[in-house]
Every structure is written in structure tokens, then in C-alpha cells.
Amino acid sequence: MLKLGVNIDHVATVREARYRGVGHGEPDPVAAARLCEAAGCHGITAHLREDRRHIQDRDVWKLREVVRTRLNLEMANAPEIIEIALRLKPEIVCLVPERRLEVTTEGGLDVVAAEKALTETRKRMNDAGVEVSLFIAPDTNQIAAAARTGSQFIELHTGKFAEEFQPAEGGNGRARTELQRLVAGAQQAHSLGLKVNAGHGLNYINLATLYQVPHLVELNIGHSIVSRAVYVGMETAVQEMLAAMQGYRG
Ligand code: PXP
């Protein structure tokens, strides 16, 4: 069964818009995480950015206390955050690139260029009992390098697919090339023994087309669920996404 990790960063984004630096305020990403779990999601994902633009340190510690499914900490391969992760011990970390000016994580990691440093972090995390995922584009060389780091998972970056997806065209228009890259990437990763997650830009509409990609274990979805929750509430938004995910055949 395809699993759903809900990314709750955007809940914190709304809170920080009003309560930056205050140390409390609404909406609370931890309360949102509880609702997501009550609705049946399989994991909670939060990105502790170096600039702390949305999720704060206190959020991740509180999440560690209350999350009953799986805590996935998205993070840069940066010394300060690595130390926090090693103490926090989420079930899994997803290493992502971070650039200060981006609105959200825009591109995948360059694993080829950073193979040595990523391998080192992978070892430290695994030694602490934390699994490791690398957020990468569906690129042959990046996937091969990800396997060499010894990581357990990759998360395929679906941002380009989502960007090019036109509902009227389904998978048969501009998104087709990117979809084929994702299919080939998932096959390559699977053949190298990597488990395959996917995320970024996925929503209630483009999801069905993504199901052509084989071997998917988990999707990490944030923006579309949090947006939908504004209208229908967090639990219903998560339940609707879980229902849409029933269509995946692997
Ligand atoms: N996966 C990763 C690695 C991400 O950086 C993000 C965005 O924070 C997501 C998934 C979720 O993307 P979205 O909010 O577009 O669903």
C-alpha cells in the first residue's frame, strides 16, 4: 500500500506570518500533525530549515513527543542540523538542498558532487538508528550516486512533473517527458536496492497520472493538503488524499 507522509511546514508558515519570534501562536503544526495521524496518514514530515523560516526547534521536539507514526525530518546536510537530528532521532531524515532565497525546496540534491559528505552523514544517521533518504531529481547519475552513499531511500523530486502537468492533458502533454524520467528513475533506483519515495507539488489532481511510476513506497505531500484543509479541515483533507492514493497499483 502506498503510504502518505504529510508535510506540515505550511501550517508553521501561516503561524510565522503573524507570530514570528513569539514562541507560540496559531495554527500549531503539532496540533495539525495529531489531526493528520487521526485521519490515518502514515507519517509526519517537517523541514527544520537553517533559517527557521517556518518550523522552529520547539516544533520538532514536540513532534518527537507526540508523533505516533513516523517522523521524517527534512534537513540540509549542515553541521548544526545534523547535530539536532542525531539528538532528536526521527525515524528517517530526508536530506535536501537549501538555498536561502527559494520559497520551498526547488531542486534536488547534487549527490554526485557531495557524495563523500552525504555518505558520511548517512553513516552517522544509520549508526544512530535513523534511516536516510536523499531528495533527488530523476537523473541516472544522481540515482547511481545515491545508491553508492548507502542510503535506504531516495525521494524523487516530482516538482517539474507537477509544474508541467496540465489537467486537460493528463499525462499525455508536456508532463509526459518528466513522467517518463520518473518511471525510469524509479526502475533504476529499485534495481539498485533503493526504496523509492516521491514528493513536491503533488496534489489531488495530478496524483492519478503519477501512478504510472512503479515501486513507490511513500508520497510526501504538504501544500495541497494544507490548502484543502482551509476549506474542509485537516482530517478530511488527509482522508481525501488517502482515498485518492487507493488507486496506486505499484
Ligand atoms: N518533499 C520534499 C523533500 C520537500 O522539500 C517538500 C516541500 O517542502 C515536499 C516533499 C512537499 O512538497 P509540497 O508542499 O509541494 O507538497
Side-chain angles (χ1 to χ4, degrees):
M1 187 191 49
L2 185 58
K3 294 181 184 160
L4 172 63
V6 182
N7 182 315
I8 52 161
D9 295 348
H10 292 294
V11 178
T13 299
V14 175
R15 179 193 61 195
E16 296 300 305
R18 172 58 57 94
Y19 294 105
R20 183 145 204 83
V22 174
H24 60 81
E26 62 187 11
D28 176 10
V30 179
R34 286 185 200 258
L35 292 171
C36 294
E37 288 196 324
C41 78
H42 305 93
I44 298 294
T45 298
H47 185 173
L48 185 67
R49 293 182 61 104
E50 289 180 270
D51 62 12
R52 308 299 199 273
R53 82 171 48 150
H54 39 52
I55 293 290
Q56 305 297 311
D57 295 60
R58 68 179 187 283
D59 295 325
V60 296
W61 289 104
K62 194 77 189 151
L63 285 168
R64 179 62 297 177
E65 267 175 46
V66 310
V67 166
R68 292 284 168 265
T69 53
R70 260 159 50 105
L71 181 60
N72 172 21
L73 184 72
E74 275 181 22
M75 54 179 273
N77 191 28
E80 183 216 356
I81 309 289
I82 292 169
E83 293 310 318
I84 293 172
L86 289 170
R87 282 187 286 121
L88 185 73
K89 294 197 196 305
E91 276 72 23
I92 182 166
V93 294
C94 181
L95 297 170
V96 302
E98 259 183 41
R99 284 185 296 275
R100 299 265 161 172
L101 293 178
E102 70 194 359
V103 177
T104 173
T105 315
E106 278 165 6
L109 278 173
D110 188 349
V111 188
V112 174
E115 189 177 323
K116 195 160 168 282
L118 291 167
T119 303
E120 177 64 25
T121 301
R122 194 280 301 161
K123 283 187 186 145
R124 292 184 71 194
M125 292 297 163
N126 284 174
D127 287 349
V130 178
E131 288 193 298
V132 173
S133 178
L134 302 180
F135 185 50
I136 56 174
D139 172 276
T140 314
N141 294 330
Q142 297 296 342
I143 294 166
R148 289 196 298 272
T149 66
S151 297
Q152 286 72 44
F153 286 83
I154 57 166
E155 179 170 327
L156 286 174
H157 195 319
T158 51
K160 194 148 192 277
F161 158 74
E163 217 176 88
E164 296 189 346
F165 181 85
Q166 303 289 326
E169 298 174 344
N172 296 317
R174 285 173 52 206
R176 188 179 179 78
T177 308
E178 194 58 20
L179 191 62
Q180 284 167 346
R181 290 181 73 210
L182 289 165
V183 170
Q187 282 164 342
Q188 181 194 356
H190 180 74
S191 73
L192 292 170
L194 288 158
K195 288 179 265 189
V196 185
N197 296 337
H200 203 97
L202 299 178
N203 60 38
Y204 298 87
I205 295 163
N206 63 24
L207 209 55
T209 301
L210 185 84
Y211 291 165
Q212 293 170 43
V213 180
H215 308 303
L216 294 176
V217 175
E218 182 166 313
L219 303 179
N220 280 304
I221 307 181
H223 187 269
S224 63
I225 292 177
V226 174
S227 302
R228 180 88 182 127
V230 171
Y231 304 127
V232 300
M234 201 63 169
E235 289 194 66
T236 302
V238 170
Q239 282 159 359
E240 287 179 358
M241 191 59 84
L242 286 167
M245 288 169 60
Q246 295 294 320
Y248 186 64
R249 296 286 166 263

